[in-house]
Amino acid sequence: MADLSGLPDRALRRLAGISPLRRWLIVIVTGALAALGQAPFGLWPATLVMFALLFGLFLSTNNWRQAAWLGWAFGTGYFLLALSWIVEPFLVDVARHGWMAPFALLGLAAGLALFFAAGLALARAAGGGAPGFIGGLGLSEAARGYLFTGFPWAQPGHVLIDTGALHWASYAGSLGLTALVLGGAVALWHAVAGRWGGVAALVLLGLLLPLGDALRPDAAAQSEAPTVRLVQPNAPQHEKWKADKIQGFFDRQILFSQAGQGRPDLIVWPETAVPVMLNTAAPTLEVISAAAGGVPVIVGLQRYDGPRLYNSLALIEAGGTVAAVYDKHHLVPFGEYVPFGDWLGRIGIHGLAAQEGQGYSSGPGAQVIGIGGLGRALPLICYEGVFAQDVRAAPERPDFMLLITNDAWFGQVSGPYQHLAQARLRSAEQGLPMIRVANTGVSAMIDATGQITAAIPMGQAGWRDAPLPPPLAPTLYARTGDMVMILLLAMLLGLSRIGNRHSGPRI
């Protein structure tokens, strides 16, 4: 068998001998390969290997500036592949917006890569080593989830959602999974270098995967569980609002609500499923209620309040009565509103202000609504399912989460599957089941451990009745949130000066 103990150092020496441009192109490609662990690919070992290479390159930097450039190049490649679905909204109307797609993807990838750059720069400035690498990158990912309204999509830890390690999110959340990935990468690098400490750490981390599955509690649905009907109309975004298509998609949802011999306890339509404003929707809601046979129906639609426009969810009861309304409060910057638009309107720059009907206005915040015998639901609309802090912001603990979304904007390749994975993560973190209904898919019932119990596949129109799984007791993460992991990552960063130093070649 070949001796691999010197392979890392030999690889770094060879990399140091090529031109800077080729070197950074290699780093960008390495970052892109690291994103193969994200859904739908699920190649999490590739993520582990590529982050191990990043760690080796980090050890060979001389100062924080080199570390920052390394993190930026790796992060740019990583986000170029992980967020490639961002081009899909620009392809809905190719003639008008298609030219923007490559600029949007490159700009977003390069911008988010600044967090990786900051993480490695901070780690190098603090002393480097394994603790610095894990602490610095971990803290930069925490910052990415909160700063500038947050965008925690495609965190390194998300590659473990489809493994037994998902259960550990109930203790430490997404940042805990990210720390596992970074720790595994460090252990892999040292193990290949022939260091027995790295081998032992890698074996220990390897045991955490099956152990997570073994410790996962049973969250199977009970025999008397309420039945929920998931309604998936499959309206492609480029057709969804066409005058000659709108009625057909609405009628499809009516048909799915009527179908079947028995009646469910709740019917759920996706985001913006009703093509009229709530303010003038009374006749339409009566039609929906009649089709449901008086069963409560959750629908997504828009409403206005004066000049303000809201992306809303409404609970419709017998006779078309509106029993509850929830307005989305965590909006997509530039997609649903323009940041600082209201402020610009106050100084005379109009056309961007949400308060004047330009884009959506934000609702008052998280809320819990009662849905008859099903219990208390935490409503979430699309993007809000990405944020663990939005779930924890609920005024009281719900019995389940209820997410409606229109993932048609994301295409059918990677975006919807990554969004679904994050919904599973929210359930595992909180110990709460989730009803997830998407326009084009994937609609799913998710139990309180993050496992999918029923689903309607991507790109199919249809309906499915599924029992609502019971909630579990509040998890450790539900009680503490991200603060514990942030403190632990900060401690690692502080300990980085006493971590092992590497004397390999510098680049």
Side-chain angles (χ1 to χ4, degrees):
M1 181 179 295
D3 180 14
L4 300 179
S5 61
L7 181 59
D9 286 350
R10 292 197 301 270
L12 290 180
R13 291 191 184 94
R14 185 168 183 177
L15 188 62
I18 66 177
S19 68
L21 177 60
R22 290 181 61 191
R23 185 185 310 148
W24 296 119
L25 285 175
I26 291 173
V27 174
I28 290 172
V29 172
T30 301
L33 293 175
L36 290 174
Q38 299 291 339
F41 309 108
L43 301 177
W44 63 266
T47 302
L48 201 66
V49 170
M50 297 306 144
F51 270 93
L53 292 175
L54 177 65
F55 175 62
L57 292 169
F58 166 72
L59 292 178
S60 69
T61 57
N62 288 309
N63 52 57
W64 69 266
R65 293 181 181 84
Q66 286 188 358
W69 278 108
L70 173 66
W72 182 81
F74 184 92
T76 297
Y78 178 82
F79 290 115
L80 277 174
L81 182 60
L83 303 181
S84 57
W85 53 266
I86 202 68
V87 305
E88 296 287 350
F90 299 92
L91 303 182
V92 172
D93 188 347
V94 177
R96 294 179 61 189
H97 305 127
W99 65 272
M100 302 179 187
F103 299 102
L105 175 58
L106 183 59
L108 181 63
L112 292 177
L114 293 174
F115 285 97
F116 277 30
L120 290 191
L122 182 63
R124 173 51 66 195
F133 179 79
I134 299 170
L137 271 183
L139 288 173
S140 71
E141 283 298 274
R144 185 162 70 90
Y146 287 90
L147 295 183
F148 313 116
T149 78
F151 189 66
W153 199 292
Q155 288 186 337
H158 291 176
V159 305
L160 299 178
I161 291 173
D162 205 28
T163 73
L166 175 60
H167 176 62
W168 298 117
S170 66
Y171 297 93
S174 179
L175 291 178
L177 298 186
T178 293
L180 281 178
V181 170
L182 298 177
V186 168
L188 178 61
W189 177 265
H190 285 308
V192 173
R195 299 180 178 93
W196 285 108
V199 174
L202 194 61
V203 170
L204 177 61
L205 287 168
L207 292 175
L208 291 177
L209 296 181
L211 184 59
D213 257 340
L215 294 176
R216 190 178 72 218
D218 182 13
Q222 300 169 347
S223 58
E224 300 298 323
T227 300
V228 179
R229 176 164 299 180
L230 317 178
V231 172
Q232 183 169 297
N234 192 37
Q237 195 58 42
H238 67 282
E239 297 180 349
K240 181 176 170 65
W241 299 114
K242 285 188 174 181
D244 60 339
K245 298 283 188 178
I246 289 175
Q247 188 64 45
F249 293 134
F250 179 78
D251 291 344
R252 184 180 291 176
Q253 294 171 112
I254 290 292
L255 178 63
F256 293 161
S257 299
Q258 293 172 326
Q261 297 299 317
R263 290 285 79 195
D265 298 288
L266 177 69
I267 299 172
V268 185
W269 290 19
E271 179 186 12
T272 60
V274 179
V276 295
M277 291 286 179
L278 177 61
N279 308 70
T280 58
T284 303
L285 301 183
E286 291 176 6
V287 171
I288 294 172
S289 182
V295 171
V297 185
I298 293 289
V299 297
L301 74 179
Q302 301 171 89
R303 74 176 190 92
Y304 59 83
D305 183 2
R308 289 188 177 273
L309 181 67
Y310 295 91
N311 185 358
S312 304
L313 171 153
L315 170 61
I316 311 304
E317 294 187 339
T321 303
V322 179
V325 175
Y326 166 72
D327 297 321
K328 184 178 182 181
H329 73 278
H330 200 144
L331 303 176
V332 182
F334 301 103
E336 293 181 310
Y337 77 106
V338 176
F340 308 111
D342 284 351
W343 180 81
L344 292 171
R346 287 196 291 271
I347 63 174
I349 302 176
H350 301 280
L352 302 175
Q355 65 185 4
E356 299 173 355
Q358 304 300 321
Y360 289 121
S361 288
S362 178
Q367 67 184 73
V368 172
I369 61 175
I371 307 181
L374 280 78
R376 299 160 301 175
L378 173 67
L380 301 165
I381 299 179
C382 191
Y383 188 59
E384 292 175 325
V386 175
F387 297 92
Q389 60 265 38
D390 286 355
V391 176
R392 295 192 68 251
E396 59 180 306
R397 182 169 172 81
D399 298 303
F400 60 96
M401 294 177 284
L402 173 61
L403 187 148
I404 60 173
T405 183
N406 177 22
D407 285 359
W409 284 109
F410 303 158
Q412 296 191 4
V413 178
S414 61
Y417 293 104
Q418 291 173 10
H419 200 199
L420 173 65
Q422 291 172 87
R424 295 178 57 197
L425 179 58
R426 298 290 86 79
S427 285
E429 287 172 342
Q430 298 294 323
L432 291 173
M434 178 185 287
I435 302 167
R436 183 184 194 272
V437 175
N439 169 22
T440 53
V442 176
S443 299
M445 184 67 75
I446 304 171
D447 73 16
T449 68
Q451 307 306 305
I452 295 174
T453 61
I456 305 174
M458 171 67 63
Q460 292 186 16
W463 59 274
R464 175 115 186 231
D465 286 346
L468 176 64
L472 297 173
T475 63
L476 178 62
Y477 180 80
R479 295 191 294 268
T480 63
D482 289 323
M483 187 52 62
V484 171
M485 275 306 304
I486 289 174
L487 291 174
L488 289 174
L489 291 167
M491 289 175 60
L492 280 176
L493 189 66
L495 292 171
S496 61
R497 289 191 178 278
I498 60 175
N500 292 330
R501 298 296 183 90
H502 181 68
S503 58
R506 306 289 181 177
I507 63 172

